[in-house]
Amino acid sequence: MTKPPLTLYLAAPNGFCAGVDRAIKIVEMAIEKWGAPIYVRHEIVHNKFVVDALREKGAVFVEELDEAPTDRPVIFSAHGVAKAVPAEAERRNMVYVDATCPLVSKVHIEAERHHENGLQMIMIGHEGHPETIGTMGQLPDGEVLLVETPEDVAQLRPRDPARLAYITQTTLSVDDTAGIVAALKARFPAIVGPHKEDICYATTNRQEAVKAVAPKVQALLVIGAPNSSNSRRLVEVARAAGCDYAMLVQRATDIDWRALEGVGAVGLTAGASAPQVLVDEVIDAFRNRFDVALELVETAQENIEFKVPRVLRDAS
């Protein structure tokens, strides 16, 4: 029986970014240095496949520090933590390694600098997301006001409308964020923005690649976890770019093949915390069912690498 033809457009860049790659290396090197178990506060990155693989190597994932014993090292996730977390680890005499993505740390430093200059911060981000919690937790309560939509901007009651700065979560939709920034600037003309865009290079690049693929396809799949902000944004970007059927799948077993019946062109991408093995798995699943012509749609090239902390480099 002949397989139906299908063009599979692979958006590039896709998958792991430098911050995720670094965070995973930190856990692996910590296990190598100190032996198992190593405790990790919160999922190191938002991907079940990655977390399960690290768990098998000896990582124990906890939500709060008090769930970890004081005599074992603890690692803070790539999303960043509030200042109170390392302070608590030091109070308990715990060995800790901070795997916060350097691009998230850059936003933390920005927030502190503006605070020292007497500005109140407005953060564009998703309430409850670990990165938002960690960034807002760099400053005292009340010093960071959170907005998620342009409508939220109208409800803001800052201390002094002339003394404001804004920062953003690194994994937001570039286009949605531009709308919120425009609303902030319209209402608070003196507001100070970041020197360089807070939304990280990897988020931006993956969204641009999806925008290039979406008009070519009838369906687009994003490999990523339901709690991955950057992966969920890719689904939204695909729909906004004209691809009505855009779905988030954790791996090949999640694909709804009935929905793809009669489709001749499908787009594929992966969020920044999804490993290459899952991309390959999905491509193989398509090849099992279709006569696949694989086309790469590359809109940028990435060669960024972040060093792991010195405590682990010294060990190796």
Side-chain angles (χ1 to χ4, degrees):
M1 191 173 152
T2 56
K3 297 174 184 174
L6 180 107
T7 305
L8 191 59
Y9 291 95
L10 181 61
N14 67 66
F16 276 3
C17 63
V20 164
D21 198 45
R22 173 181 179 268
I24 293 165
K25 271 188 198 151
I26 285 172
V27 178
E28 291 172 339
M29 290 172 77
I31 293 168
E32 211 174 287
K33 175 171 180 168
W34 290 299
I38 291 293
Y39 286 78
V40 184
R41 185 187 178 278
H42 193 69
E43 289 186 350
I44 188 72
V45 298
H46 284 158
N47 187 277
K48 185 181 186 301
F49 185 90
V50 171
V51 167
D52 287 348
L54 291 172
R55 197 177 271 126
E56 281 180 25
K57 292 179 182 179
V60 178
F61 293 88
V62 297
E63 284 305 305
E64 297 300 340
L65 275 188
D66 60 14
E67 298 169 51
T70 55
D71 61 348
R72 295 304 301 161
V74 65
I75 294 166
F76 304 146
S77 81
H79 311 98
V81 293
K83 272 193 171 169
V85 177
E88 173 67 6
E90 285 171 13
R91 190 187 67 76
R92 299 178 75 200
N93 293 318
M94 298 175 84
V95 172
Y96 68 87
V97 184
D98 190 353
T100 300
C101 172
L103 298 178
V104 174
S105 298
K106 165 190 158 288
V107 180
H108 291 183
I109 292 163
E110 264 173 50
E112 287 210 70
R113 192 184 75 245
H114 289 312
H115 177 63
E116 285 164 8
N117 290 334
L119 303 182
Q120 190 176 18
M121 300 303 311
I122 293 171
M123 176 161 192
I124 304 170
H126 294 295
E127 188 172 6
H129 188 277
E131 186 186 328
T132 299
I133 293 167
T135 301
M136 292 180 72
Q138 300 306 303
L139 301 183
D141 285 352
E143 287 303 306
V144 188
L145 307 175
L146 182 66
V147 294
E148 297 191 66
T149 65
E151 291 72 34
D152 290 343
V153 174
Q155 308 303 317
L156 283 172
R157 296 290 175 266
R159 191 169 49 238
D160 180 351
R163 305 277 296 155
L164 293 172
Y166 74 86
I167 50 175
T168 82
Q169 192 178 319
T170 61
T171 55
L172 301 177
S173 157
V174 174
D175 295 336
D176 289 351
T177 304
I180 300 169
V181 169
L184 283 170
K185 288 179 174 175
R187 186 165 173 216
F188 308 112
I191 197 165
V192 178
H195 288 303
K196 188 174 180 295
E197 186 61 66
D198 285 341
I199 296 174
C200 80
Y201 78 93
T203 298
T204 304
N205 288 349
R206 279 149 192 72
Q207 289 179 20
E208 287 303 315
V210 163
K211 286 178 190 175
V213 168
K216 303 174 185 287
V217 300
Q218 296 142 290
L220 188 141
L221 302 182
V222 177
I223 303 167
N227 59 341
S228 164
S229 172
N230 79 85
S231 301
R232 288 171 61 181
R233 300 296 80 76
L234 291 174
V235 173
E236 294 168 3
V237 167
R239 289 174 184 161
C243 182
D244 293 335
Y245 187 87
M247 296 301 291
L248 186 68
V249 295
Q250 296 205 61
R251 57 188 312 171
T253 47
D254 295 338
I255 298 170
D256 180 359
W257 297 107
R258 285 173 304 178
L260 299 178
E261 281 176 14
V263 167
V266 173
L268 179 63
T269 189
S273 44
Q276 182 62 39
V277 65
L278 296 185
V279 179
D280 295 339
E281 179 188 274
V282 168
I283 293 170
D284 287 344
F286 271 96
R287 284 183 168 142
N288 286 339
R289 289 166 174 81
F290 299 92
D291 178 15
V292 171
L294 186 64
E295 289 203 24
L296 188 72
V297 179
E298 187 173 54
T299 54
Q301 291 192 329
E302 296 175 351
N303 53 11
I304 291 172
E305 194 175 330
F306 296 134
K307 286 181 179 173
V308 299
R310 180 171 281 119
V311 65
L312 297 173
R313 293 206 302 275
D314 292 348
S316 60

